[in-house]
Amino acid sequence: MNSLEQSILAIGQQARAAGRLMMKASDQQKADALLAMADALDTSRPELIQANAKDLHRARERNLDAPLLDRLTLSEKTLIGMAQSLRQIAAMPDPVGSLGPTQVRPNGMRIAQMRVPLGVVGIIYESRPNVTIDAAALCVKSGNATILRGGSEAINSNMALAEIISAGLRNAGLPGQAVQLIPTTDRDAVGYLVTMTEYVDVIVPRGGKSLITRLSEQARVPMIKHLDGNCHVYIDSAADLDKAHDIALNAKTYRYGICGAMETLLVHRTVASTILPKLADSFTMKGVELRGCPETLVILPDATPASDSDWAEEYLAPILAIRIVDSIDQAIEHIARWGSGHTDSIVTQDVDAASRFEREVDSSSVYVNLPTCFADGFEYGLGAEIGISTNRLHARGPVGLEGLTTQKWVLRGNAQLRG
Amino acid sequence: MNSLEQSILAIGQQARAAGRLMMKASDQQKADALLAMADALDTSRPELIQANAKDLHRARERNLDAPLLDRLTLSEKTLIGMAQSLRQIAAMPDPVGSLGPTQVRPNGMRIAQMRVPLGVVGIIYESRPNVTIDAAALCVKSGNATILRGGSEAINSNMALAEIISAGLRNAGLPGQAVQLIPTTDRDAVGYLVTMTEYVDVIVPRGGKSLITRLSEQARVPMIKHLDGNCHVYIDSAADLDKAHDIALNAKTYRYGICGAMETLLVHRTVASTILPKLADSFTMKGVELRGCPETLVILPDATPASDSDWAEEYLAPILAIRIVDSIDQAIEHIARWGSGHTDSIVTQDVDAASRFEREVDSSSVYVNLPTCFADGFEYGLGAEIGISTNRLHARGPVGLEGLTTQKWVLRGNAQLRG
């Protein structure tokens, strides 16, 4: 075992030990820790901005592009937002220890399920240093220990934030090692982290598809994955066309780069010639390129022809694929074939169509008369999110505090015996 | 791609297609299918016993041992039990489509979680042919498609049962391929099955630890694992000693070979000299070998000295390790260090001790004043179980219909927009 592997192993062992203590922490302690971190973020702004300046300097030397520099930057404003987020998460109800409905069995024993922390959560993320705070806060509140592995570009910012986090934990009588940042940018560290099944219970990879694909090959620890969002809006024959216009426009243009952005618009044949020209005007005004199926091109002759690869693509850009369909069945089939099971929406005034779409579209979020860009933990009332899961098991869609817990069975009896 | 891999791939593709139809099946259809299977089990007993005879003949030729032959045998009685189980599962409430509590967000949109099938479930199991029926029934009722891989010893019995299952499905207008049995005993088939992430959503391995360890190395599909049950009973200083005696005796001797059997008894020092001699008499009468810590040996001089390996072992046999502890803390520590997180119980009349144990013991089932041998899906009111999960994610403890489903978010709005 080399020294890097040894040091990751030691981090894992410390996380496991801290996790056992976090499991028992009271909500008061956890809230106190988060509030102490928020206060420290407020008072340490100059030091944090200084640490961040080192990362920015190095990033500029390496000619990183503007959006990346933007995501890397800790400004006064982002620091204020991070402190706010900590205070919000501190105020949320503690999921740990809550009991589901109690059943009484025929022999009189009582049975229920209790929410408990997952244990040790490993989070692998890229350059945004605010994830360090959000992820730590969600894991602390849900009673987990956390191992953070941030992007190498943000190492100085993250180290400074990690100190504030550990001090906040100790301040509340909790183990400082309940949140640990891997203090090296060596890539091999990730390989050790995702195979340490004895000390890590789940890995949350936040980053591009290539990161997740690479980790899927290596990982032995289960992952809560966040893969692509190839999201659809289907405008039904029974749609209110004014609503349909606004929903489709918002779904695409609220922000192009988010996983909940609409990538393909499906339109029922009977309404296509009415709605598409109006929608095309609005999209063109916003600078969105339109790619259509042959029937769409008849209505929108200026659009580019779409090929099969357009149905499959998550553009994350001002490009929209449009297809005209014969029926809700064909819309559901299109989504089953080409979608990524992320977020899909129907626009309709027909309750039966709404129910069928809700039931039969097998995506982690299914909407009626709403734009897909609502796919976000904050919008769902989860406070914040550790990611948007495209897994089928455990947690689907935005993952907040509840997704960072699991349930155990608790049974109480009076010496009932078996057999 | 060789022909075996091609045929497993074809099974996966058919399962995926059948799964899409099963997702939409009504509860009436699913119940009809299960009842048709139950009726066919009743009317086809002679043919099934004949198919089973071929397996038994081959097993005797290969000198398989008596317990294995016993588990392999389809008698009139086991067939009646299987039909009963099908009728019970048919009558259970359909989990699919049920909605959790609905929240209204500040913008008026309504949000809830809906239970949906997992998709395609692969089940790998050993010689008991009754698992073929139980697993198929649970998967059909929960709207999943299933790929079954039974033990090679039971291939003729399983093929005959699989025909009955498919006929029952078709009878109810459901796809016969919603339950498929891998029709070969070739070991490589399992390797293809557990890596086919596009067509299989979860693998449930039922079998020994060695099977699961081997699959863990290969698998790319997530698994609901069923690992060891090193279960504890802790007799607290505030225990009712009559209850403690009966609970400890039942926990060990109800059946030695089940994963919920107690393997280590922890006794608080203040009650050890009162309870242990009486318990030792009862255990000795049942032929249970006792292995004790040094302090236990002072009270029970006939017991064998226990070593650390005894604390770690799942005997599944009439052997019991006994340790005297100073406090509930030491009991909880012992369980954290040596236990397997399966099922652990405290015997106490003290509510505070009961609550602490319930909260702090990190096992999939935690009991108060009950023997650990209750760890079973039927006893928990789940009807039947597909396994007892030792995973932390998704499902812990006995896994029934609900564990075979997942949840999706459903949002209804009235053209609320974002931003």
Side-chain angles (χ1 to χ4, degrees):
Chain A
M1 199 184 287
N2 64 38
S3 71
L4 178 65
E5 187 173 358
Q6 263 168 352
S7 73
I8 302 298
L9 196 72
I11 288 175
Q13 288 165 335
Q14 284 157 6
R16 177 63 79 210
R20 293 208 197 288
L21 297 172
M22 289 300 290
M23 207 169 68
K24 300 195 273 188
S26 70
D27 189 39
Q28 186 66 60
Q29 282 180 299
K30 295 185 288 191
D32 284 350
L34 298 181
L35 295 174
M37 293 174 207
D39 292 344
L41 279 190
D42 288 342
T43 54
S44 311
R45 269 182 231 152
E47 295 84 341
L48 288 166
I49 287 169
Q50 214 173 354
N52 184 242
K54 285 191 219 165
D55 290 329
L56 289 171
H57 179 74
R58 238 181 19 144
R60 280 192 206 95
E61 277 183 349
R62 291 167 55 211
N63 291 314
L64 297 191
D65 62 14
L68 219 146
L69 285 173
D70 184 51
R71 285 158 57 196
L72 183 56
T73 303
L74 281 181
S75 64
E76 290 263 338
K77 198 182 144 202
T78 51
L79 287 168
I80 290 170
M82 284 155 70
Q84 223 164 24
S85 168
L86 281 166
R87 293 189 178 104
Q88 267 174 18
I89 294 172
M92 292 186 74
D94 188 351
V96 175
S98 70
L99 279 177
T102 299
Q103 313 281 340
V104 183
R105 298 294 304 146
N107 68 0
M109 64 187 193
R110 289 182 301 127
I111 181 167
Q113 285 182 287
M114 182 187 280
R115 287 231 160 258
V116 293
L118 283 175
V120 176
V121 181
I123 300 169
I124 301 167
Y125 56 106
E126 292 177 346
S127 53
R128 277 179 207 270
N130 64 311
V131 174
T132 306
I133 291 293
D134 276 358
L138 286 169
C139 287
V140 166
K141 183 76 185 190
S142 54
N144 291 290
T146 320
I147 302 173
L148 299 170
R149 160 66 184 209
S152 59
E153 311 84 13
I155 185 80
N156 292 295
S157 316
N158 285 337
M159 300 269 277
L161 291 168
E163 264 179 52
I164 285 177
I165 293 167
S166 287
L169 286 162
R170 287 191 300 267
N171 198 290
L174 295 173
Q177 289 168 327
V179 179
Q180 293 176 86
L181 180 78
I182 293 183
T184 158
T185 58
D186 190 327
R187 265 203 159 193
D188 290 342
V190 173
Y192 298 127
L193 180 64
V194 301
T195 50
M196 208 162 44
T197 49
E198 198 177 343
Y199 302 117
V200 184
D201 296 299
V202 61
I203 294 286
V204 182
R206 293 179 58 140
K209 204 174 170 177
S210 67
L211 170 76
I212 294 176
T213 309
R214 186 162 54 81
L215 291 178
S216 297
E217 290 298 311
Q218 290 184 284
R220 284 282 165 272
V221 176
M223 289 203 285
I224 295 181
K225 295 180 201 173
H226 176 142
L227 282 164
D228 21 352
N230 181 8
C231 302
H232 301 74
V233 172
Y234 162 58
I235 301 178
D236 187 45
S237 56
D240 174 319
L241 295 187
D242 288 332
K243 288 183 195 168
H245 171 273
D246 295 350
I247 288 169
L249 194 67
N250 191 236
K252 183 69 211 174
T253 66
Y254 164 64
R255 272 168 67 195
Y256 299 115
I258 58 175
C259 56
M262 167 177 69
E263 305 293 13
T264 296
L265 175 67
L266 302 169
V267 183
H268 193 282
R269 166 160 301 119
T270 56
V271 295
S273 58
T274 320
I275 182 119
L276 278 179
K278 197 178 156 208
L279 254 178
D281 285 348
S282 302
F283 279 125
T284 307
M285 294 251 295
K286 295 262 189 182
V288 177
E289 177 194 338
L290 303 179
R291 301 189 185 171
C293 69
E295 288 187 61
T296 301
L297 297 179
V298 174
I299 302 170
L300 305 177
D302 291 343
T304 316
S307 65
D308 273 2
S309 68
D310 286 295
W311 312 134
E313 194 154 336
E314 185 187 17
Y315 299 116
L316 298 174
I319 306 171
L320 175 67
I322 304 177
R323 185 176 172 197
I324 293 174
V325 294
D326 293 333
S327 60
I328 184 173
D329 301 80
Q330 211 186 356
I332 293 172
E333 267 170 49
H334 180 102
I335 294 169
R337 169 145 190 219
W338 297 106
S340 65
H342 193 290
T343 302
D344 298 291
S345 181
I346 184 173
V347 186
T348 189
Q349 294 300 110
D350 175 3
V351 285
D352 291 342
S355 292
R356 269 200 65 196
F357 192 87
E358 232 171 34
R359 174 84 188 261
E360 294 181 22
V361 171
D362 185 26
S363 300
S364 67
S365 291
V366 183
Y367 296 176
V368 176
N369 293 332
L370 287 168
T372 52
C373 56
F374 273 117
D376 172 280
F378 189 80
E379 296 293 338
Y380 283 27
L382 307 179
E385 70 193 20
I386 199 95
I388 297 185
S389 166
T390 53
N391 281 18
R392 295 191 69 82
L393 263 65
H394 187 67
R396 288 181 93 190
V399 180
L401 293 175
E402 190 173 298
L404 289 168
T405 62
T406 182
Q407 290 187 294
K408 68 181 174 193
W409 297 93
V410 293
L411 277 75
R412 288 206 174 196
N414 186 24
Q416 285 87 343
L417 303 179
R418 197 168 171 199
Chain B
M1 197 184 287
N2 64 40
S3 71
L4 178 64
E5 187 173 1
Q6 262 168 351
S7 72
I8 302 298
L9 195 73
I11 287 175
Q13 288 165 334
Q14 284 157 6
R16 178 62 79 211
R20 294 212 197 285
L21 296 173
M22 289 301 289
M23 209 169 67
K24 300 195 272 186
S26 70
D27 190 39
Q28 186 67 60
Q29 283 181 300
K30 295 187 286 191
D32 284 350
L34 298 181
L35 295 175
M37 293 173 206
D39 292 345
L41 279 189
D42 288 341
T43 54
S44 312
R45 269 182 231 152
E47 295 83 342
L48 289 166
I49 287 170
Q50 213 173 354
N52 185 241
K54 286 192 219 164
D55 290 331
L56 288 171
H57 178 74
R58 238 181 19 147
R60 281 192 204 96
E61 276 181 353
R62 291 166 56 209
N63 290 315
L64 297 191
D65 63 14
L68 219 145
L69 285 173
D70 185 49
R71 284 159 55 197
L72 183 54
T73 304
L74 281 182
S75 63
E76 291 263 336
K77 200 181 144 204
T78 50
L79 287 168
I80 290 171
M82 284 155 70
Q84 222 163 25
S85 168
L86 280 166
R87 294 190 177 104
Q88 268 174 17
I89 294 171
M92 293 186 75
D94 188 350
V96 175
S98 69
L99 279 177
T102 299
Q103 314 280 340
V104 182
R105 298 294 305 146
N107 67 359
M109 65 186 191
R110 291 180 301 128
I111 179 167
Q113 286 182 288
M114 183 188 278
R115 288 230 159 259
V116 292
L118 283 175
V120 176
V121 181
I123 300 169
I124 300 168
Y125 55 106
E126 292 175 347
S127 55
R128 278 180 207 269
N130 63 310
V131 174
T132 306
I133 291 292
D134 277 357
L138 286 168
C139 288
V140 167
K141 182 77 186 188
S142 54
N144 291 291
T146 320
I147 301 172
L148 300 170
R149 162 64 183 209
S152 58
E153 310 83 15
I155 185 80
N156 292 294
S157 315
N158 285 336
M159 300 268 277
L161 290 168
E163 266 181 50
I164 284 177
I165 293 167
S166 287
L169 286 162
R170 287 191 300 267
N171 198 288
L174 295 173
Q177 289 168 327
V179 179
Q180 293 175 88
L181 179 78
I182 293 184
T184 159
T185 58
D186 190 328
R187 265 201 159 195
D188 289 342
V190 173
Y192 299 127
L193 181 63
V194 300
T195 49
M196 207 160 46
T197 49
E198 198 177 343
Y199 301 117
V200 184
D201 296 298
V202 59
I203 293 286
V204 182
R206 295 178 55 141
K209 203 173 169 176
S210 65
L211 170 76
I212 294 175
T213 309
R214 185 162 55 80
L215 291 179
S216 298
E217 291 299 310
Q218 290 184 284
R220 284 283 165 271
V221 177
M223 289 203 284
I224 296 180
K225 296 180 199 172
H226 176 142
L227 281 164
D228 22 351
N230 181 9
C231 302
H232 301 75
V233 172
Y234 163 58
I235 300 177
D236 187 46
S237 57
D240 174 319
L241 296 188
D242 288 332
K243 288 182 195 169
H245 171 272
D246 296 350
I247 289 169
L249 194 67
N250 191 237
K252 184 69 210 174
T253 66
Y254 164 65
R255 273 166 67 192
Y256 298 115
I258 58 175
C259 55
M262 167 176 70
E263 305 292 12
T264 296
L265 176 67
L266 302 169
V267 184
H268 194 282
R269 166 162 299 117
T270 54
V271 295
S273 59
T274 319
I275 182 121
L276 278 180
K278 199 179 154 207
L279 254 180
D281 285 348
S282 301
F283 279 125
T284 307
M285 293 251 294
K286 295 263 189 181
V288 177
E289 178 193 336
L290 303 179
R291 301 188 185 172
C293 70
E295 289 188 62
T296 301
L297 297 178
V298 174
I299 301 170
L300 305 177
D302 291 343
T304 316
S307 66
D308 272 3
S309 68
D310 286 297
W311 311 134
E313 194 155 336
E314 185 188 19
Y315 299 118
L316 297 175
I319 306 171
L320 177 68
I322 303 177
R323 184 175 173 197
I324 292 173
V325 294
D326 293 334
S327 61
I328 184 173
D329 301 79
Q330 213 186 354
I332 293 172
E333 268 171 50
H334 180 101
I335 293 169
R337 171 148 188 218
W338 298 106
S340 63
H342 193 288
T343 302
D344 298 291
S345 181
I346 185 173
V347 186
T348 190
Q349 295 300 110
D350 176 2
V351 284
D352 290 343
S355 291
R356 271 201 63 197
F357 192 87
E358 234 170 33
R359 174 88 188 258
E360 294 180 23
V361 171
D362 184 26
S363 300
S364 66
S365 291
V366 184
Y367 294 176
V368 176
N369 292 332
L370 288 169
T372 51
C373 56
F374 273 115
D376 172 279
F378 190 80
E379 297 293 337
Y380 283 27
L382 307 180
E385 70 194 21
I386 200 96
I388 297 185
S389 166
T390 52
N391 282 18
R392 295 191 70 83
L393 263 65
H394 186 66
R396 288 182 92 191
V399 180
L401 293 175
E402 190 172 298
L404 289 168
T405 62
T406 183
Q407 290 185 294
K408 69 179 173 194
W409 298 93
V410 292
L411 276 75
R412 287 204 176 199
N414 186 24
Q416 286 88 344
L417 303 179
R418 197 167 172 199

